[in-house]
């Protein structure tokens, strides 16, 4: 059985490696690029030696755990992602394995399929158009500064924060993304999060607690909010209320890269429009899985497995570590945020072969 599993995983990896855009990305120099000889490696814990980030940018990320790059993704690409999202909402395309989420206040809505119903598209790796985001050279150029040159796309989302109904359910509690990921080391994981329009405090911009990436993974659970909480919107219960907060006001195409231990969240959308962003979590190919049993992540593992059982009838001795199910007859791909690394990840080699 182990040999069969290994062979299956190898076939998947080889399939990922054959993705046409994966091997053609090359890092480009930017202004103020620094030479590796100009600093001592022991100064840096959270960034890789690179010729992309300026010394100021690198130090900022090291100290704060996030970095905003302005106007990184073109308006043309943003519009293509928006159009594809709308096609998915209208059910004109149905990529396998994709998860469509609704806000808790409209979960049982009878509205016709549209962007007014879907608040998040998750696990879009089988949608060729949306997955282009994860292979954009301008994104990977920065991603490898945190993960190293061999990169895997681990978790994908297009977020469509709805106008709040008055129950404040459009909020996302303060949390650490590592809570959802059973692989390490955390310093080789980074999120790329791109604004698809102007985002500020009115429509629920990201709020971050600078420097919290230097801490440890804290226990998470559902907050006790009167209006309700969306599924898997776990939050930190015991963070320092005195920690400074930064609200990230962003324009279309601006992209923030942040560490998985950085405490962050987002406020409610007080406008009448939908606030869109597209994101992917990337990990270095050297990351390894851990067993979360007996840790603070055990509660999210149980919830994921319960959901997999309810939606897909997955039972038995499964875990976040190895639960990839690929039904070739029906074309389903079930991704529970925690499969075997090489199965789950789409390997993106940022070095051109000589």
């Amino acid at each position: 059985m182990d040999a069969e599993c290994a062979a299956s995983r190898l076939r998947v990896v080889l399939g990922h490696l054959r993705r046409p855009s994966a091997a053609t990305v090359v890092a480009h120099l930017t202004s103020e690029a620094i030479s590796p000889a100009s600093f001592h490696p022991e100064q840096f814990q959270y960034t890789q030696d690179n010729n992309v980030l300026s010394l100021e940018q690198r130090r900022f990320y090291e100290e704060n755990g996030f970095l905003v790059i302005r106007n990184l993704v073109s308006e043309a690409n943003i519009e293509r992602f928006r159009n594809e999202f709308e096609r998915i909402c209208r059910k004109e395309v149905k990529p396998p394995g994709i998860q469509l989420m609704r806000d808790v206040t409209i979960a049982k809505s009878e509205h016709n399929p549209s962007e007014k119903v879907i608040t998040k598209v998750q696990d879009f790796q089988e949608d060729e158009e949306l997955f282009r985001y994860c292979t954009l050279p301008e994104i990977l150029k920065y991603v490898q500064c945190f993960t190293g040159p061999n990169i895997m796309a681990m978790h994908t989302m297009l977020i469509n924060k709805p106008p709040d109904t008055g129950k404040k359910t459009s909020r996302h509690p303060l949390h650490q993304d590592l809570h959802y990921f059973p692989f390490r080391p955390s310093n080789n994981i980074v999120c790329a999060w791109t604004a698809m329009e102007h985002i500020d405090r009115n429509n629920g911009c990201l709020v971050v607690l600078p420097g919290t990436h230097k801490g440890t993974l804290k226990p998470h659970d559902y907050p006790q909010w009167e209006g309700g909480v969306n599924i898997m919107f776990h939050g930190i219960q015991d963070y320092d209320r005195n920690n400074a907060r930064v609200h990230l006001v962003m324009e279309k195409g601006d992209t923030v890269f942040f560490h998985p231990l950085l405490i962050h969240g987002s406020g409610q959308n007080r406008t009448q429009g939908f606030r869109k962003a597209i994101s992917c979590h990337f990990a270095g190919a050297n990351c390894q899985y851990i067993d979360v049993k007996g840790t603070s992540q055990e509660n999210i593992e149980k919830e994921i497995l319960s959901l997999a059982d309810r939606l897909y009838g997955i039972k038995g001795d499964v875990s976040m570590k190895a639960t990839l199910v690929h039904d070739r007859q029906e074309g389903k791909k079930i991704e529970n945020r925690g499969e075997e690394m090489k199965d789950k990840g789409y390997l993106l080699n940022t070095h051109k072969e000589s």
Side-chain angles (χ1 to χ4, degrees), residues 154-157 176-184 189-191 217 260 280-282 288-290 292 297 300 304 320 336-338 344:
M154 303 303 294
H155 181 236
T156 53
M157 293 188 296
Q176 297 164 298
D177 287 344
L178 193 65
H179 172 65
Y180 298 95
F181 301 141
F183 43 89
R184 304 290 188 275
I189 304 168
V190 72
C191 180
L217 181 60
C280 179
H281 279 87
F282 297 89
Q288 300 291 328
Y289 270 97
I290 64 167
V292 302
Q297 292 178 263
I300 189 65
I304 288 172
M320 288 176 76
N336 294 327
R337 286 196 176 97
K344 174 69 171 180

PDB file of all heavy atoms in Angstrom, residues 154-157 176-184 189-191 217 260 280-282 288-290 292 297 300 304 320 336-338 344:
ATOM      1  N   MET A 154       0.080  26.429  -2.088  1.00  0.00           N
ATOM      2  CA  MET A 154      -0.541  25.528  -1.123  1.00  0.00           C
ATOM      3  C   MET A 154      -2.021  25.765  -0.878  1.00  0.00           C
ATOM      4  O   MET A 154      -2.754  24.856  -0.569  1.00  0.00           O
ATOM      5  CB  MET A 154       0.201  25.642   0.219  1.00  0.00           C
ATOM      6  CG  MET A 154       1.683  25.355   0.129  1.00  0.00           C
ATOM      7  SD  MET A 154       2.048  23.716  -0.540  1.00  0.00           S
ATOM      8  CE  MET A 154       1.373  22.684   0.752  1.00  0.00           C
ATOM      9  N   HIS A 155      -2.454  27.006  -0.980  1.00  0.00           N
ATOM     10  CA  HIS A 155      -3.853  27.307  -0.650  1.00  0.00           C
ATOM     11  C   HIS A 155      -4.260  28.564  -1.388  1.00  0.00           C
ATOM     12  O   HIS A 155      -3.582  29.587  -1.305  1.00  0.00           O
ATOM     13  CB  HIS A 155      -4.015  27.487   0.859  1.00  0.00           C
ATOM     14  CG  HIS A 155      -5.429  27.766   1.265  1.00  0.00           C
ATOM     15  ND1 HIS A 155      -5.788  28.872   1.988  1.00  0.00           N
ATOM     16  CD2 HIS A 155      -6.573  27.078   1.021  1.00  0.00           C
ATOM     17  CE1 HIS A 155      -7.096  28.856   2.193  1.00  0.00           C
ATOM     18  NE2 HIS A 155      -7.593  27.786   1.611  1.00  0.00           N
ATOM     19  N   THR A 156      -5.375  28.498  -2.118  1.00  0.00           N
ATOM     20  CA  THR A 156      -5.788  29.595  -2.985  1.00  0.00           C
ATOM     21  C   THR A 156      -7.169  30.108  -2.593  1.00  0.00           C
ATOM     22  O   THR A 156      -8.052  29.333  -2.221  1.00  0.00           O
ATOM     23  CB  THR A 156      -5.817  29.129  -4.446  1.00  0.00           C
ATOM     24  OG1 THR A 156      -6.619  27.930  -4.538  1.00  0.00           O
ATOM     25  CG2 THR A 156      -4.422  28.814  -4.953  1.00  0.00           C
ATOM     26  N   MET A 157      -7.363  31.424  -2.719  1.00  0.00           N
ATOM     27  CA  MET A 157      -8.655  32.031  -2.388  1.00  0.00           C
ATOM     28  C   MET A 157      -8.899  33.272  -3.237  1.00  0.00           C
ATOM     29  O   MET A 157      -7.968  34.035  -3.510  1.00  0.00           O
ATOM     30  CB  MET A 157      -8.718  32.448  -0.909  1.00  0.00           C
ATOM     31  CG  MET A 157      -8.710  31.337   0.094  1.00  0.00           C
ATOM     32  SD  MET A 157      -9.041  31.975   1.781  1.00  0.00           S
ATOM     33  CE  MET A 157      -7.613  33.029   2.033  1.00  0.00           C
ATOM     34  N   GLN A 176      -3.940  33.841  12.976  1.00  0.00           N
ATOM     35  CA  GLN A 176      -2.666  33.531  12.329  1.00  0.00           C
ATOM     36  C   GLN A 176      -2.928  32.422  11.312  1.00  0.00           C
ATOM     37  O   GLN A 176      -3.514  31.386  11.644  1.00  0.00           O
ATOM     38  CB  GLN A 176      -1.638  33.055  13.358  1.00  0.00           C
ATOM     39  CG  GLN A 176      -1.265  34.098  14.407  1.00  0.00           C
ATOM     40  CD  GLN A 176      -0.554  33.469  15.597  1.00  0.00           C
ATOM     41  OE1 GLN A 176      -1.130  32.630  16.299  1.00  0.00           O
ATOM     42  NE2 GLN A 176       0.692  33.855  15.825  1.00  0.00           N
ATOM     43  N   ASP A 177      -2.491  32.605  10.096  1.00  0.00           N
ATOM     44  CA  ASP A 177      -2.770  31.617   9.053  1.00  0.00           C
ATOM     45  C   ASP A 177      -2.133  30.260   9.329  1.00  0.00           C
ATOM     46  O   ASP A 177      -2.630  29.231   8.851  1.00  0.00           O
ATOM     47  CB  ASP A 177      -2.306  32.138   7.698  1.00  0.00           C
ATOM     48  CG  ASP A 177      -3.214  33.237   7.159  1.00  0.00           C
ATOM     49  OD1 ASP A 177      -4.345  33.375   7.662  1.00  0.00           O
ATOM     50  OD2 ASP A 177      -2.784  33.971   6.251  1.00  0.00           O
ATOM     51  N   LEU A 178      -1.052  30.236  10.092  1.00  0.00           N
ATOM     52  CA  LEU A 178      -0.391  28.962  10.376  1.00  0.00           C
ATOM     53  C   LEU A 178      -1.320  28.010  11.121  1.00  0.00           C
ATOM     54  O   LEU A 178      -1.121  26.786  11.080  1.00  0.00           O
ATOM     55  CB  LEU A 178       0.892  29.191  11.183  1.00  0.00           C
ATOM     56  CG  LEU A 178       1.830  27.986  11.277  1.00  0.00           C
ATOM     57  CD1 LEU A 178       2.391  27.601   9.917  1.00  0.00           C
ATOM     58  CD2 LEU A 178       2.976  28.254  12.253  1.00  0.00           C
ATOM     59  N   HIS A 179      -2.330  28.535  11.777  1.00  0.00           N
ATOM     60  CA  HIS A 179      -3.314  27.700  12.465  1.00  0.00           C
ATOM     61  C   HIS A 179      -3.932  26.684  11.507  1.00  0.00           C
ATOM     62  O   HIS A 179      -4.282  25.571  11.908  1.00  0.00           O
ATOM     63  CB  HIS A 179      -4.401  28.596  13.056  1.00  0.00           C
ATOM     64  CG  HIS A 179      -5.578  27.872  13.624  1.00  0.00           C
ATOM     65  ND1 HIS A 179      -5.494  27.050  14.722  1.00  0.00           N
ATOM     66  CD2 HIS A 179      -6.891  27.846  13.242  1.00  0.00           C
ATOM     67  CE1 HIS A 179      -6.684  26.552  15.010  1.00  0.00           C
ATOM     68  NE2 HIS A 179      -7.547  27.007  14.124  1.00  0.00           N
ATOM     69  N   TYR A 180      -4.038  27.038  10.232  1.00  0.00           N
ATOM     70  CA  TYR A 180      -4.688  26.176   9.238  1.00  0.00           C
ATOM     71  C   TYR A 180      -3.703  25.286   8.484  1.00  0.00           C
ATOM     72  O   TYR A 180      -4.128  24.458   7.683  1.00  0.00           O
ATOM     73  CB  TYR A 180      -5.440  27.041   8.223  1.00  0.00           C
ATOM     74  CG  TYR A 180      -6.545  27.870   8.828  1.00  0.00           C
ATOM     75  CD1 TYR A 180      -6.322  29.189   9.207  1.00  0.00           C
ATOM     76  CD2 TYR A 180      -7.812  27.330   9.049  1.00  0.00           C
ATOM     77  CE1 TYR A 180      -7.322  29.952   9.774  1.00  0.00           C
ATOM     78  CE2 TYR A 180      -8.826  28.085   9.615  1.00  0.00           C
ATOM     79  CZ  TYR A 180      -8.573  29.393   9.976  1.00  0.00           C
ATOM     80  OH  TYR A 180      -9.575  30.150  10.544  1.00  0.00           O
ATOM     81  N   PHE A 181      -2.399  25.461   8.727  1.00  0.00           N
ATOM     82  CA  PHE A 181      -1.410  24.746   7.932  1.00  0.00           C
ATOM     83  C   PHE A 181      -0.541  23.845   8.807  1.00  0.00           C
ATOM     84  O   PHE A 181       0.235  24.338   9.632  1.00  0.00           O
ATOM     85  CB  PHE A 181      -0.501  25.739   7.202  1.00  0.00           C
ATOM     86  CG  PHE A 181      -1.239  26.677   6.287  1.00  0.00           C
ATOM     87  CD1 PHE A 181      -0.860  28.004   6.192  1.00  0.00           C
ATOM     88  CD2 PHE A 181      -2.310  26.236   5.537  1.00  0.00           C
ATOM     89  CE1 PHE A 181      -1.531  28.871   5.350  1.00  0.00           C
ATOM     90  CE2 PHE A 181      -2.996  27.096   4.697  1.00  0.00           C
ATOM     91  CZ  PHE A 181      -2.607  28.422   4.609  1.00  0.00           C
ATOM     92  N   PRO A 182      -0.594  22.518   8.608  1.00  0.00           N
ATOM     93  CA  PRO A 182       0.218  21.599   9.415  1.00  0.00           C
ATOM     94  C   PRO A 182       1.565  21.294   8.779  1.00  0.00           C
ATOM     95  O   PRO A 182       1.987  20.141   8.712  1.00  0.00           O
ATOM     96  CB  PRO A 182      -0.672  20.354   9.473  1.00  0.00           C
ATOM     97  CG  PRO A 182      -1.327  20.344   8.127  1.00  0.00           C
ATOM     98  CD  PRO A 182      -1.556  21.789   7.759  1.00  0.00           C
ATOM     99  N   PHE A 183       2.238  22.319   8.267  1.00  0.00           N
ATOM    100  CA  PHE A 183       3.573  22.087   7.726  1.00  0.00           C
ATOM    101  C   PHE A 183       4.504  23.188   8.211  1.00  0.00           C
ATOM    102  O   PHE A 183       4.080  24.285   8.563  1.00  0.00           O
ATOM    103  CB  PHE A 183       3.575  21.984   6.189  1.00  0.00           C
ATOM    104  CG  PHE A 183       2.737  23.004   5.476  1.00  0.00           C
ATOM    105  CD1 PHE A 183       3.265  24.227   5.101  1.00  0.00           C
ATOM    106  CD2 PHE A 183       1.414  22.737   5.161  1.00  0.00           C
ATOM    107  CE1 PHE A 183       2.504  25.162   4.434  1.00  0.00           C
ATOM    108  CE2 PHE A 183       0.635  23.661   4.495  1.00  0.00           C
ATOM    109  CZ  PHE A 183       1.186  24.893   4.125  1.00  0.00           C
ATOM    110  N   ARG A 184       5.768  22.867   8.244  1.00  0.00           N
ATOM    111  CA  ARG A 184       6.793  23.738   8.786  1.00  0.00           C
ATOM    112  C   ARG A 184       8.068  23.595   7.940  1.00  0.00           C
ATOM    113  O   ARG A 184       8.204  22.622   7.200  1.00  0.00           O
ATOM    114  CB  ARG A 184       7.113  23.352  10.254  1.00  0.00           C
ATOM    115  CG  ARG A 184       5.924  23.352  11.207  1.00  0.00           C
ATOM    116  CD  ARG A 184       5.406  24.753  11.485  1.00  0.00           C
ATOM    117  NE  ARG A 184       4.391  24.731  12.547  1.00  0.00           N
ATOM    118  CZ  ARG A 184       3.104  24.495  12.356  1.00  0.00           C
ATOM    119  NH1 ARG A 184       2.645  24.235  11.143  1.00  0.00           N
ATOM    120  NH2 ARG A 184       2.257  24.514  13.375  1.00  0.00           N
ATOM    121  N   ILE A 189       7.091  29.972   4.612  1.00  0.00           N
ATOM    122  CA  ILE A 189       5.727  30.107   4.111  1.00  0.00           C
ATOM    123  C   ILE A 189       5.401  31.586   4.012  1.00  0.00           C
ATOM    124  O   ILE A 189       5.792  32.378   4.874  1.00  0.00           O
ATOM    125  CB  ILE A 189       4.720  29.421   5.066  1.00  0.00           C
ATOM    126  CG1 ILE A 189       5.085  27.948   5.284  1.00  0.00           C
ATOM    127  CG2 ILE A 189       3.290  29.536   4.528  1.00  0.00           C
ATOM    128  CD1 ILE A 189       4.305  27.292   6.427  1.00  0.00           C
ATOM    129  N   VAL A 190       4.696  31.971   2.960  1.00  0.00           N
ATOM    130  CA  VAL A 190       4.300  33.366   2.820  1.00  0.00           C
ATOM    131  C   VAL A 190       2.966  33.442   2.082  1.00  0.00           C
ATOM    132  O   VAL A 190       2.657  32.581   1.252  1.00  0.00           O
ATOM    133  CB  VAL A 190       5.375  34.189   2.067  1.00  0.00           C
ATOM    134  CG1 VAL A 190       5.411  33.832   0.587  1.00  0.00           C
ATOM    135  CG2 VAL A 190       5.168  35.683   2.257  1.00  0.00           C
ATOM    136  N   CYS A 191       2.180  34.443   2.403  1.00  0.00           N
ATOM    137  CA  CYS A 191       0.937  34.700   1.683  1.00  0.00           C
ATOM    138  C   CYS A 191       1.134  35.898   0.765  1.00  0.00           C
ATOM    139  O   CYS A 191       1.720  36.909   1.162  1.00  0.00           O
ATOM    140  CB  CYS A 191      -0.202  34.991   2.652  1.00  0.00           C
ATOM    141  SG  CYS A 191      -1.797  35.334   1.817  1.00  0.00           S
ATOM    142  N   LEU A 217       2.619  30.244  17.603  1.00  0.00           N
ATOM    143  CA  LEU A 217       1.246  29.982  17.191  1.00  0.00           C
ATOM    144  C   LEU A 217       0.365  29.919  18.426  1.00  0.00           C
ATOM    145  O   LEU A 217       0.602  29.135  19.341  1.00  0.00           O
ATOM    146  CB  LEU A 217       1.173  28.666  16.419  1.00  0.00           C
ATOM    147  CG  LEU A 217      -0.218  28.263  15.908  1.00  0.00           C
ATOM    148  CD1 LEU A 217      -0.782  29.314  14.961  1.00  0.00           C
ATOM    149  CD2 LEU A 217      -0.154  26.901  15.232  1.00  0.00           C
ATOM    150  N   PRO A 260       3.082  33.681   8.009  1.00  0.00           N
ATOM    151  CA  PRO A 260       1.902  32.947   8.512  1.00  0.00           C
ATOM    152  C   PRO A 260       1.660  33.087  10.008  1.00  0.00           C
ATOM    153  O   PRO A 260       0.588  32.698  10.489  1.00  0.00           O
ATOM    154  CB  PRO A 260       2.207  31.497   8.133  1.00  0.00           C
ATOM    155  CG  PRO A 260       3.695  31.426   8.066  1.00  0.00           C
ATOM    156  CD  PRO A 260       4.124  32.749   7.513  1.00  0.00           C
ATOM    157  N   CYS A 280      -2.840  33.692  -2.479  1.00  0.00           N
ATOM    158  CA  CYS A 280      -2.307  32.328  -2.465  1.00  0.00           C
ATOM    159  C   CYS A 280      -1.258  32.232  -1.366  1.00  0.00           C
ATOM    160  O   CYS A 280      -0.474  33.166  -1.166  1.00  0.00           O
ATOM    161  CB  CYS A 280      -1.682  31.983  -3.810  1.00  0.00           C
ATOM    162  SG  CYS A 280      -0.961  30.308  -3.864  1.00  0.00           S
ATOM    163  N   HIS A 281      -1.264  31.130  -0.647  1.00  0.00           N
ATOM    164  CA  HIS A 281      -0.190  30.822   0.290  1.00  0.00           C
ATOM    165  C   HIS A 281       0.821  29.934  -0.419  1.00  0.00           C
ATOM    166  O   HIS A 281       0.454  28.941  -1.050  1.00  0.00           O
ATOM    167  CB  HIS A 281      -0.731  30.098   1.529  1.00  0.00           C
ATOM    168  CG  HIS A 281      -1.331  31.016   2.534  1.00  0.00           C
ATOM    169  ND1 HIS A 281      -2.645  31.411   2.470  1.00  0.00           N
ATOM    170  CD2 HIS A 281      -0.796  31.633   3.622  1.00  0.00           C
ATOM    171  CE1 HIS A 281      -2.903  32.229   3.483  1.00  0.00           C
ATOM    172  NE2 HIS A 281      -1.802  32.378   4.181  1.00  0.00           N
ATOM    173  N   PHE A 282       2.071  30.333  -0.307  1.00  0.00           N
ATOM    174  CA  PHE A 282       3.162  29.599  -0.930  1.00  0.00           C
ATOM    175  C   PHE A 282       4.074  29.028   0.159  1.00  0.00           C
ATOM    176  O   PHE A 282       4.209  29.611   1.241  1.00  0.00           O
ATOM    177  CB  PHE A 282       3.999  30.520  -1.816  1.00  0.00           C
ATOM    178  CG  PHE A 282       3.256  31.104  -2.986  1.00  0.00           C
ATOM    179  CD1 PHE A 282       2.573  32.305  -2.857  1.00  0.00           C
ATOM    180  CD2 PHE A 282       3.253  30.469  -4.216  1.00  0.00           C
ATOM    181  CE1 PHE A 282       1.906  32.872  -3.935  1.00  0.00           C
ATOM    182  CE2 PHE A 282       2.584  31.018  -5.305  1.00  0.00           C
ATOM    183  CZ  PHE A 282       1.907  32.222  -5.157  1.00  0.00           C
ATOM    184  N   GLN A 288       8.021  20.414   5.566  1.00  0.00           N
ATOM    185  CA  GLN A 288       7.599  19.055   5.932  1.00  0.00           C
ATOM    186  C   GLN A 288       6.352  19.123   6.803  1.00  0.00           C
ATOM    187  O   GLN A 288       6.147  20.085   7.538  1.00  0.00           O
ATOM    188  CB  GLN A 288       8.724  18.338   6.701  1.00  0.00           C
ATOM    189  CG  GLN A 288      10.012  18.194   5.928  1.00  0.00           C
ATOM    190  CD  GLN A 288       9.906  17.227   4.764  1.00  0.00           C
ATOM    191  OE1 GLN A 288       9.153  16.254   4.831  1.00  0.00           O
ATOM    192  NE2 GLN A 288      10.638  17.492   3.692  1.00  0.00           N
ATOM    193  N   TYR A 289       5.565  18.072   6.736  1.00  0.00           N
ATOM    194  CA  TYR A 289       4.354  18.014   7.543  1.00  0.00           C
ATOM    195  C   TYR A 289       4.646  17.610   8.979  1.00  0.00           C
ATOM    196  O   TYR A 289       5.607  16.899   9.255  1.00  0.00           O
ATOM    197  CB  TYR A 289       3.332  17.055   6.936  1.00  0.00           C
ATOM    198  CG  TYR A 289       2.432  17.766   5.968  1.00  0.00           C
ATOM    199  CD1 TYR A 289       2.675  17.732   4.614  1.00  0.00           C
ATOM    200  CD2 TYR A 289       1.361  18.524   6.429  1.00  0.00           C
ATOM    201  CE1 TYR A 289       1.879  18.420   3.732  1.00  0.00           C
ATOM    202  CE2 TYR A 289       0.555  19.217   5.564  1.00  0.00           C
ATOM    203  CZ  TYR A 289       0.825  19.161   4.214  1.00  0.00           C
ATOM    204  OH  TYR A 289       0.034  19.862   3.347  1.00  0.00           O
ATOM    205  N   ILE A 290       3.775  18.085   9.876  1.00  0.00           N
ATOM    206  CA  ILE A 290       3.828  17.691  11.278  1.00  0.00           C
ATOM    207  C   ILE A 290       2.499  17.061  11.656  1.00  0.00           C
ATOM    208  O   ILE A 290       1.485  17.256  10.976  1.00  0.00           O
ATOM    209  CB  ILE A 290       4.107  18.903  12.196  1.00  0.00           C
ATOM    210  CG1 ILE A 290       2.949  19.909  12.116  1.00  0.00           C
ATOM    211  CG2 ILE A 290       5.436  19.559  11.848  1.00  0.00           C
ATOM    212  CD1 ILE A 290       2.987  20.969  13.197  1.00  0.00           C
ATOM    213  N   VAL A 292      -0.542  17.200  14.017  1.00  0.00           N
ATOM    214  CA  VAL A 292      -1.116  18.262  14.857  1.00  0.00           C
ATOM    215  C   VAL A 292      -1.850  17.718  16.076  1.00  0.00           C
ATOM    216  O   VAL A 292      -2.325  18.496  16.905  1.00  0.00           O
ATOM    217  CB  VAL A 292      -2.075  19.159  14.038  1.00  0.00           C
ATOM    218  CG1 VAL A 292      -1.348  19.771  12.852  1.00  0.00           C
ATOM    219  CG2 VAL A 292      -3.311  18.380  13.594  1.00  0.00           C
ATOM    220  N   GLN A 297      -3.677  23.036  17.073  1.00  0.00           N
ATOM    221  CA  GLN A 297      -4.321  22.916  15.766  1.00  0.00           C
ATOM    222  C   GLN A 297      -5.272  21.726  15.674  1.00  0.00           C
ATOM    223  O   GLN A 297      -5.914  21.528  14.639  1.00  0.00           O
ATOM    224  CB  GLN A 297      -3.256  22.791  14.672  1.00  0.00           C
ATOM    225  CG  GLN A 297      -2.432  24.048  14.464  1.00  0.00           C
ATOM    226  CD  GLN A 297      -1.378  23.850  13.401  1.00  0.00           C
ATOM    227  OE1 GLN A 297      -0.230  23.572  13.708  1.00  0.00           O
ATOM    228  NE2 GLN A 297      -1.762  23.979  12.145  1.00  0.00           N
ATOM    229  N   ILE A 300      -8.970  22.524  14.563  1.00  0.00           N
ATOM    230  CA  ILE A 300      -9.252  22.798  13.154  1.00  0.00           C
ATOM    231  C   ILE A 300      -9.153  21.512  12.339  1.00  0.00           C
ATOM    232  O   ILE A 300      -9.898  21.313  11.381  1.00  0.00           O
ATOM    233  CB  ILE A 300      -8.323  23.895  12.583  1.00  0.00           C
ATOM    234  CG1 ILE A 300      -8.780  24.323  11.190  1.00  0.00           C
ATOM    235  CG2 ILE A 300      -6.877  23.443  12.548  1.00  0.00           C
ATOM    236  CD1 ILE A 300     -10.122  25.004  11.164  1.00  0.00           C
ATOM    237  N   ILE A 304     -12.147  20.153   9.914  1.00  0.00           N
ATOM    238  CA  ILE A 304     -11.923  19.849   8.507  1.00  0.00           C
ATOM    239  C   ILE A 304     -12.370  18.425   8.182  1.00  0.00           C
ATOM    240  O   ILE A 304     -13.044  18.173   7.178  1.00  0.00           O
ATOM    241  CB  ILE A 304     -10.438  20.038   8.150  1.00  0.00           C
ATOM    242  CG1 ILE A 304     -10.096  21.527   8.135  1.00  0.00           C
ATOM    243  CG2 ILE A 304     -10.114  19.409   6.802  1.00  0.00           C
ATOM    244  CD1 ILE A 304      -8.621  21.810   7.986  1.00  0.00           C
ATOM    245  N   MET A 320      -5.191  15.770   8.696  1.00  0.00           N
ATOM    246  CA  MET A 320      -4.791  16.895   7.866  1.00  0.00           C
ATOM    247  C   MET A 320      -3.550  16.555   7.066  1.00  0.00           C
ATOM    248  O   MET A 320      -3.281  17.160   6.039  1.00  0.00           O
ATOM    249  CB  MET A 320      -4.505  18.118   8.752  1.00  0.00           C
ATOM    250  CG  MET A 320      -5.729  18.755   9.352  1.00  0.00           C
ATOM    251  SD  MET A 320      -5.295  20.107  10.465  1.00  0.00           S
ATOM    252  CE  MET A 320      -4.854  21.395   9.293  1.00  0.00           C
ATOM    253  N   ASN A 336      -8.059  19.557   1.665  1.00  0.00           N
ATOM    254  CA  ASN A 336      -8.417  19.935   3.023  1.00  0.00           C
ATOM    255  C   ASN A 336      -7.327  20.711   3.728  1.00  0.00           C
ATOM    256  O   ASN A 336      -7.161  20.620   4.934  1.00  0.00           O
ATOM    257  CB  ASN A 336      -8.746  18.680   3.852  1.00  0.00           C
ATOM    258  CG  ASN A 336      -9.980  18.004   3.336  1.00  0.00           C
ATOM    259  OD1 ASN A 336     -10.882  18.659   2.852  1.00  0.00           O
ATOM    260  ND2 ASN A 336     -10.006  16.689   3.411  1.00  0.00           N
ATOM    261  N   ARG A 337      -6.572  21.492   2.971  1.00  0.00           N
ATOM    262  CA  ARG A 337      -5.507  22.334   3.509  1.00  0.00           C
ATOM    263  C   ARG A 337      -4.357  21.524   4.104  1.00  0.00           C
ATOM    264  O   ARG A 337      -3.446  22.099   4.650  1.00  0.00           O
ATOM    265  CB  ARG A 337      -6.026  23.267   4.617  1.00  0.00           C
ATOM    266  CG  ARG A 337      -6.868  24.428   4.136  1.00  0.00           C
ATOM    267  CD  ARG A 337      -6.967  25.432   5.253  1.00  0.00           C
ATOM    268  NE  ARG A 337      -7.680  26.623   4.857  1.00  0.00           N
ATOM    269  CZ  ARG A 337      -8.944  26.826   5.102  1.00  0.00           C
ATOM    270  NH1 ARG A 337      -9.649  25.926   5.714  1.00  0.00           N
ATOM    271  NH2 ARG A 337      -9.536  27.938   4.738  1.00  0.00           N
ATOM    272  N   GLY A 338      -4.397  20.188   4.053  1.00  0.00           N
ATOM    273  CA  GLY A 338      -3.317  19.499   4.736  1.00  0.00           C
ATOM    274  C   GLY A 338      -3.001  18.144   4.170  1.00  0.00           C
ATOM    275  O   GLY A 338      -3.004  17.147   4.875  1.00  0.00           O
ATOM    276  N   LYS A 344      -0.347  18.072  -2.508  1.00  0.00           N
ATOM    277  CA  LYS A 344      -1.086  19.305  -2.313  1.00  0.00           C
ATOM    278  C   LYS A 344      -0.488  20.448  -3.105  1.00  0.00           C
ATOM    279  O   LYS A 344      -1.174  21.234  -3.712  1.00  0.00           O
ATOM    280  CB  LYS A 344      -1.088  19.658  -0.827  1.00  0.00           C
ATOM    281  CG  LYS A 344      -1.697  21.012  -0.487  1.00  0.00           C
ATOM    282  CD  LYS A 344      -3.166  21.045  -0.713  1.00  0.00           C
ATOM    283  CE  LYS A 344      -3.754  22.339  -0.159  1.00  0.00           C
ATOM    284  NZ  LYS A 344      -5.175  22.401  -0.359  1.00  0.00           N
TER     285      LYS A 344
END
